[in-house]
Amino acid sequence: QVQLVESGGGLVQAGGSLRLSCATSRRTFSSYTMGWFRQAPGKEREFVAAIRRSGDSTYYADSVKGRFTISRDNAKNTVYLQMSSLKPEDTAVYYCAAGNDIVVRRSVDYWGQGTQVTVSS
């Protein structure tokens, strides 16, 4: 059974920063592209960022480009999402994702349980 365990969400003021973490098994981490999605109340889940297995290619939604950074630590089997210059519209539940085709088709094989990020104005 594949498990993706997220942490790091919370409440932050606009302009602040947060770092999300997602830990999984070595097998999962080495097999899949890892990514982050988010879902705000009343909205559909949307792509935020992804990083390929090699770690040499990253992808971002236009809405977060320049503010968020995705990275992976192969020694810890963990993917991170560093979020800076946060805005109230970044408020959402953030989900870690693992899949073979996240980048092109936004196809996800496994989801984490989600972690709440709330940005106050």
Side-chain angles (χ1 to χ4, degrees), residues 4 10 18 35 41-42 47 51 58 68 77 91 93 96 106 115 119 121:
L4 306 176
L18 278 176
F47 170 79
I51 185 167
T58 56
F68 290 11
N77 301 320
T91 294
V93 177
C96 181
R106 305 291 188 254
T115 185
V119 184
S121 57

Side-chain angles (χ1 to χ4, degrees), residues 5-109:
V5 181
E6 299 126 330
S7 60
L11 174 64
V12 64
Q13 288 189 332
S17 300
L18 278 176
R19 189 178 78 159
L20 306 183
S21 301
C22 172
T24 187
S25 68
R26 178 183 296 273
R27 180 172 184 174
T28 300
F29 197 72
S30 63
S31 298
Y32 295 99
T33 293
M34 302 296 295
W36 291 93
F37 289 70
R38 67 186 182 187
Q39 187 166 19
K43 295 187 177 181
E44 293 187 353
R45 194 172 297 188
E46 64 176 4
F47 170 79
V48 175
I51 185 167
R52 292 202 183 273
R53 288 179 293 171
S54 62
D56 60 355
S57 297
T58 56
Y59 307 85
Y60 298 93
D62 288 342
S63 59
V64 307
K65 205 170 292 184
R67 300 188 297 121
F68 290 11
T69 302
I70 189 171
S71 62
R72 58 194 296 157
D73 185 332
N74 291 336
K76 296 182 178 180
N77 301 320
T78 299
V79 62
Y80 302 98
L81 185 68
Q82 178 67 48
M83 305 183 293
S84 303
S85 302
L86 283 161
K87 305 175 182 180
E89 51 264 43
D90 294 318
T91 294
V93 177
Y94 283 70
Y95 295 91
C96 181
N100 283 319
D101 202 2
I102 290 178
V103 174
V104 176
R105 298 178 60 189
R106 305 291 188 254
S107 175
V108 176
D109 293 279

